Coordinates of all heavy atoms in Angstrom, one line a residue:
I1217 N -51.7 76.1 -159.4 CA -51.4 77.4 -159.9 C -52.6 78.2 -160.2 O -53.4 77.8 -161.0 CB -50.4 77.3 -161.2 CG1 -49.2 76.6 -160.8 CG2 -50.1 78.8 -161.6 CD1 -48.4 77.1 -159.6
Y1218 N -52.7 79.3 -159.5 CA -53.8 80.2 -159.5 C -53.5 81.5 -160.3 O -52.4 81.8 -160.6 CB -54.4 80.6 -158.2 CG -54.9 79.5 -157.3 CD1 -54.9 79.6 -155.9 CD2 -55.4 78.3 -157.9 CE1 -55.3 78.6 -155.1 CE2 -55.9 77.3 -157.1 CZ -55.9 77.5 -155.7 OH -56.4 76.5 -154.9
K1219 N -54.5 82.3 -160.7 CA -54.4 83.5 -161.4 C -54.0 84.6 -160.5 O -54.7 84.9 -159.5 CB -55.7 83.8 -162.2 CG -55.5 84.9 -163.2 CD -56.9 85.0 -164.0 CE -56.8 86.2 -164.9 NZ -58.1 86.3 -165.7
K1220 N -52.9 85.3 -160.7 CA -52.4 86.3 -159.8 C -53.5 87.5 -159.7 O -53.7 87.9 -158.6 CB -51.1 87.0 -160.4 CG -50.5 88.1 -159.5 CD -49.2 88.6 -160.1 CE -48.6 89.6 -159.2 NZ -49.5 90.8 -158.9
A1221 N -54.1 87.9 -160.8 CA -55.0 89.0 -160.7 C -56.2 88.5 -159.8 O -56.7 89.5 -159.1 CB -55.6 89.3 -162.1
T1222 N -56.6 87.4 -159.8 CA -57.7 86.9 -158.9 C -57.3 86.9 -157.4 O -57.9 87.4 -156.6 CB -58.2 85.5 -159.4 OG1 -58.6 85.6 -160.7 CG2 -59.3 85.0 -158.5
L1223 N -56.1 86.4 -157.2 CA -55.5 86.4 -155.8 C -55.4 87.8 -155.3 O -55.6 88.0 -154.1 CB -54.2 85.6 -155.8 CG -54.2 84.1 -156.0 CD1 -52.8 83.5 -155.9 CD2 -55.0 83.5 -154.8
D1224 N -54.9 88.6 -156.1 CA -54.7 90.1 -155.7 C -56.0 90.7 -155.3 O -56.1 91.5 -154.4 CB -54.1 90.9 -156.8 CG -52.6 90.6 -157.0 OD1 -52.0 89.8 -156.2 OD2 -52.1 90.9 -158.1
Q1225 N -57.1 90.3 -156.1 CA -58.4 91.0 -155.8 C -59.1 90.2 -154.6 O -59.7 91.0 -153.8 CB -59.3 90.8 -157.0 CG -60.7 91.4 -156.9 CD -61.4 91.4 -158.2 OE1 -61.1 90.8 -159.1 NE2 -62.6 92.0 -158.2
D1226 N -58.9 88.9 -154.4 CA -59.5 88.2 -153.3 C -58.7 87.0 -153.1 O -58.9 86.0 -153.8 CB -61.0 87.9 -153.7 CG -61.8 87.1 -152.6 OD1 -61.1 86.9 -151.5 OD2 -62.9 86.8 -152.7
P1227 N -57.9 86.9 -152.0 CA -57.1 85.8 -151.8 C -57.8 84.5 -151.3 O -57.3 83.4 -151.3 CB -56.1 86.3 -150.7 CG -56.8 87.4 -150.0 CD -57.6 88.1 -151.1
R1228 N -59.1 84.7 -151.1 CA -60.0 83.5 -150.7 C -61.0 83.1 -151.8 O -61.7 82.2 -151.5 CB -60.7 83.8 -149.4 CG -59.8 84.2 -148.2 CD -60.5 84.3 -146.9 NE -61.2 83.1 -146.5 CZ -61.8 82.9 -145.3 NH1 -61.9 83.9 -144.5 NH2 -62.4 81.8 -145.1
W1229 N -60.8 83.7 -152.9 CA -61.8 83.4 -154.0 C -61.8 82.0 -154.5 O -62.9 81.4 -154.7 CB -61.3 84.3 -155.3 CG -62.3 84.2 -156.4 CD1 -63.4 85.0 -156.7 CD2 -62.2 83.3 -157.6 NE1 -64.0 84.7 -157.8 CE2 -63.3 83.7 -158.4 CE3 -61.3 82.3 -158.0 CZ2 -63.5 83.1 -159.6 CZ3 -61.5 81.7 -159.2 CH2 -62.6 82.1 -160.1
Y1230 N -60.6 81.3 -154.4 CA -60.6 79.9 -154.8 C -61.1 78.9 -153.8 O -61.3 77.7 -154.1 CB -59.1 79.5 -155.1 CG -58.6 80.1 -156.4 CD1 -58.0 81.3 -156.5 CD2 -58.8 79.3 -157.6 CE1 -57.5 81.8 -157.7 CE2 -58.4 79.8 -158.8 CZ -57.8 81.1 -158.9 OH -57.3 81.6 -160.1
E1231 N -61.6 79.4 -152.7 CA -62.3 78.5 -151.8 C -63.6 78.0 -152.3 O -64.1 76.9 -152.0 CB -62.5 79.2 -150.4 CG -61.2 79.5 -149.6 CD -61.4 80.2 -148.4 OE1 -62.6 80.2 -147.9 OE2 -60.4 80.7 -147.8
K1232 N -64.3 78.9 -153.1 CA -65.6 78.6 -153.6 C -65.7 78.6 -155.2 O -66.8 78.4 -155.7 CB -66.6 79.6 -153.0 CG -66.8 79.5 -151.6 CD -67.8 80.5 -151.1 CE -68.0 80.4 -149.5 NZ -69.0 81.4 -149.1
N1233 N -64.5 78.9 -155.8 CA -64.5 78.9 -157.3 C -63.5 78.2 -157.9 O -62.5 77.7 -157.2 CB -64.4 80.4 -157.7 CG -65.6 81.3 -157.1 OD1 -66.6 81.4 -157.7 ND2 -65.3 82.0 -156.0
V1234 N -63.5 77.8 -159.2 CA -62.6 77.0 -159.9 C -62.2 77.8 -161.1 O -63.0 78.2 -161.9 CB -63.2 75.7 -160.3 CG1 -62.2 74.8 -161.1 CG2 -63.8 75.0 -159.1
L1235 N -60.9 78.0 -161.3 CA -60.3 78.6 -162.5 C -58.9 78.1 -162.5 O -57.9 78.7 -161.9 CB -60.3 80.1 -162.4 CG -59.7 80.8 -163.7 CD1 -60.3 80.3 -164.9 CD2 -59.8 82.3 -163.6
G1236 N -58.5 77.1 -163.4 CA -57.2 76.7 -163.6 C -56.8 76.6 -165.0 O -57.3 77.4 -165.9
S1237 N -55.7 75.8 -165.3 CA -55.2 75.7 -166.6 C -55.0 74.3 -166.9 O -54.2 73.9 -167.9 CB -53.9 76.5 -166.8 OG -52.9 76.1 -165.8
G1238 N -55.6 73.4 -166.2 CA -55.3 71.9 -166.3 C -56.1 71.3 -167.5 O -56.7 71.9 -168.3
P1239 N -56.0 70.0 -167.6 CA -56.6 69.2 -168.8 C -58.1 69.3 -168.9 O -58.6 69.0 -169.9 CB -56.1 67.8 -168.5 CG -55.8 67.7 -167.1 CD -55.3 69.0 -166.7
F1240 N -58.8 69.6 -167.8 CA -60.2 69.6 -167.8 C -60.7 71.0 -167.3 O -60.1 71.5 -166.4 CB -60.8 68.5 -167.0 CG -60.6 67.1 -167.5 CD1 -59.5 66.4 -167.1 CD2 -61.4 66.6 -168.5 CE1 -59.2 65.2 -167.7 CE2 -61.2 65.4 -169.0 CZ -60.1 64.6 -168.6
K1241 N -61.8 71.4 -167.8 CA -62.5 72.7 -167.4 C -63.6 72.3 -166.5 O -64.4 71.2 -166.7 CB -63.0 73.4 -168.6 CG -61.9 74.0 -169.5 CD -62.6 74.8 -170.6 CE -61.5 75.5 -171.5 NZ -62.1 76.4 -172.5
F1242 N -63.9 73.1 -165.5 CA -65.0 72.9 -164.6 C -66.3 72.9 -165.4 O -66.6 73.8 -166.2 CB -65.0 73.9 -163.5 CG -66.2 73.8 -162.6 CD1 -66.2 72.9 -161.5 CD2 -67.3 74.5 -162.8 CE1 -67.2 72.9 -160.6 CE2 -68.4 74.5 -161.9 CZ -68.4 73.6 -160.8
A1243 N -67.2 72.0 -165.0 CA -68.5 71.9 -165.7 C -69.7 72.2 -164.7 O -70.5 72.9 -164.9 CB -68.7 70.6 -166.5
E1244 N -69.6 71.3 -163.6 CA -70.8 71.4 -162.6 C -70.4 70.8 -161.3 O -69.6 69.8 -161.3 CB -72.0 70.6 -163.2 CG -73.2 70.7 -162.4 CD -74.4 70.0 -163.0 OE1 -74.5 68.7 -162.8 OE2 -75.1 70.6 -163.7
Y1245 N -70.9 71.3 -160.3 CA -70.7 70.7 -158.9 C -72.1 70.6 -158.3 O -72.8 71.6 -158.2 CB -69.8 71.6 -158.1 CG -69.6 71.1 -156.6 CD1 -69.1 69.9 -156.3 CD2 -70.1 72.0 -155.5 CE1 -68.9 69.5 -155.1 CE2 -69.9 71.6 -154.2 CZ -69.4 70.3 -154.0 OH -69.3 69.9 -152.6
E1246 N -72.4 69.4 -157.8 CA -73.6 69.2 -157.0 C -73.2 69.0 -155.6 O -72.5 68.0 -155.3 CB -74.4 68.0 -157.5 CG -75.0 68.2 -158.9 CD -75.8 67.0 -159.4 OE1 -76.6 66.5 -158.6 OE2 -75.6 66.6 -160.5
T1247 N -73.5 69.8 -154.7 CA -73.0 69.8 -153.3 C -73.2 68.5 -152.7 O -74.3 68.0 -152.6 CB -73.7 70.9 -152.5 OG1 -73.5 72.2 -153.1 CG2 -73.1 70.9 -151.1
G1248 N -72.1 67.9 -152.2 CA -72.1 66.6 -151.5 C -72.4 65.4 -152.4 O -72.5 64.3 -152.0
Q1249 N -72.5 65.7 -153.8 CA -73.0 64.6 -154.7 C -71.9 64.3 -155.7 O -71.3 63.2 -155.7 CB -74.2 65.0 -155.4 CG -75.4 65.2 -154.5 CD -75.9 64.0 -153.8 OE1 -75.9 62.9 -154.3 NE2 -76.1 64.1 -152.5
S1250 N -71.5 65.3 -156.5 CA -70.5 65.0 -157.6 C -70.0 66.2 -158.1 O -70.4 67.4 -157.9 CB -71.3 64.2 -158.8 OG -72.3 65.1 -159.3
I1251 N -68.9 66.0 -158.9 CA -68.1 67.1 -159.6 C -67.9 66.7 -161.0 O -67.6 65.4 -161.3 CB -66.7 67.4 -158.8 CG1 -66.0 68.6 -159.5 CG2 -65.8 66.2 -158.8 CD1 -66.4 69.9 -158.9
K1252 N -68.1 67.6 -162.0 CA -67.9 67.2 -163.4 C -66.9 68.1 -164.1 O -66.9 69.4 -163.8 CB -69.3 67.2 -164.1 CG -70.3 66.2 -163.5 CD -71.6 66.3 -164.3 CE -72.6 65.2 -163.7 NZ -73.9 65.2 -164.5
G1253 N -66.2 67.6 -165.0 CA -65.3 68.4 -165.8 C -65.4 68.0 -167.3 O -65.8 66.9 -167.6
V1254 N -65.1 68.9 -168.1 CA -65.0 68.6 -169.6 C -63.7 68.9 -170.2 O -62.9 69.7 -169.6 CB -66.1 69.5 -170.3 CG1 -67.5 69.1 -169.9 CG2 -65.8 71.0 -170.1
R1255 N -63.4 68.3 -171.3 CA -62.1 68.4 -171.9 C -61.7 69.8 -172.2 O -62.4 70.7 -172.8 CB -62.1 67.6 -173.2 CG -60.8 67.5 -174.0 CD -60.9 66.7 -175.2 NE -59.5 66.5 -175.8 CZ -59.1 67.4 -176.8 NH1 -59.9 68.3 -177.2 NH2 -57.9 67.2 -177.2
N1256 N -60.5 70.2 -171.8 CA -59.9 71.5 -172.2 C -59.2 71.4 -173.6 O -58.2 70.8 -173.7 CB -58.8 71.9 -171.1 CG -58.2 73.3 -171.5 OD1 -58.6 73.9 -172.3 ND2 -57.1 73.5 -170.7
S1257 N -59.9 72.0 -174.6 CA -59.4 71.8 -176.0 C -58.2 72.7 -176.2 O -57.4 72.5 -177.1 CB -60.5 72.2 -177.0 OG -60.9 73.6 -176.7
D1258 N -57.9 73.6 -175.3 CA -56.7 74.5 -175.3 C -55.6 74.0 -174.4 O -54.6 74.8 -174.2 CB -57.1 75.9 -175.1 CG -58.0 76.5 -176.0 OD1 -57.9 76.2 -177.3 OD2 -58.8 77.3 -175.7
Y1259 N -55.6 72.8 -174.0 CA -54.6 72.3 -173.0 C -53.3 72.3 -173.7 O -53.1 72.0 -174.9 CB -55.0 70.9 -172.6 CG -54.1 70.3 -171.5 CD1 -53.8 71.0 -170.3 CD2 -53.6 69.0 -171.5 CE1 -53.0 70.5 -169.3 CE2 -52.8 68.5 -170.6 CZ -52.6 69.2 -169.4 OH -51.8 68.7 -168.4
Y1260 N -52.2 72.7 -172.9 CA -50.9 72.9 -173.5 C -50.1 71.7 -173.9 O -49.2 71.7 -174.6 CB -50.0 73.8 -172.5 CG -50.0 73.3 -171.1 CD1 -49.1 72.4 -170.7 CD2 -50.9 73.8 -170.2 CE1 -49.1 71.9 -169.4 CE2 -50.9 73.4 -168.9 CZ -50.0 72.5 -168.4 OH -50.0 72.1 -167.1
R1261 N -50.6 70.5 -173.4 CA -50.0 69.3 -173.9 C -50.9 68.7 -175.1 O -52.0 68.2 -174.9 CB -50.0 68.2 -172.7 CG -49.1 68.6 -171.6 CD -49.0 67.5 -170.6 NE -48.2 68.0 -169.5 CZ -46.8 67.8 -169.4 NH1 -46.2 67.3 -170.5 NH2 -46.1 68.2 -168.4
K1262 N -50.4 69.0 -176.3 CA -51.2 68.8 -177.5 C -51.6 67.4 -177.6 O -50.9 66.4 -177.3 CB -50.3 69.2 -178.7 CG -49.9 70.6 -178.7 CD -51.1 71.6 -178.7 CE -50.7 73.1 -178.6 NZ -51.8 74.0 -178.4
G1263 N -52.9 67.2 -178.0 CA -53.5 65.9 -178.2 C -54.1 65.4 -176.9 O -54.9 64.3 -176.9

Side-chain angles (χ1 to χ4, degrees):
I1217 301 305
Y1218 294 156
K1219 188 174 177 178
K1220 181 181 186 300
T1222 300
L1223 288 176
D1224 288 346
Q1225 185 174 4
D1226 181 1
R1228 299 188 63 175
W1229 186 86
Y1230 283 91
E1231 293 177 17
K1232 296 181 179 180
N1233 300 278
V1234 181
L1235 176 58
S1237 57
F1240 292 93
K1241 294 182 177 182
F1242 177 85
E1244 184 179 86
Y1245 175 63
E1246 294 182 45
T1247 304
Q1249 301 294 317
S1250 65
I1251 185 90
K1252 295 182 179 181
V1254 296
R1255 183 177 185 269
N1256 176 14
S1257 59
D1258 294 323
Y1259 188 45
Y1260 49 89
R1261 295 185 183 275
K1262 299 303 180 185

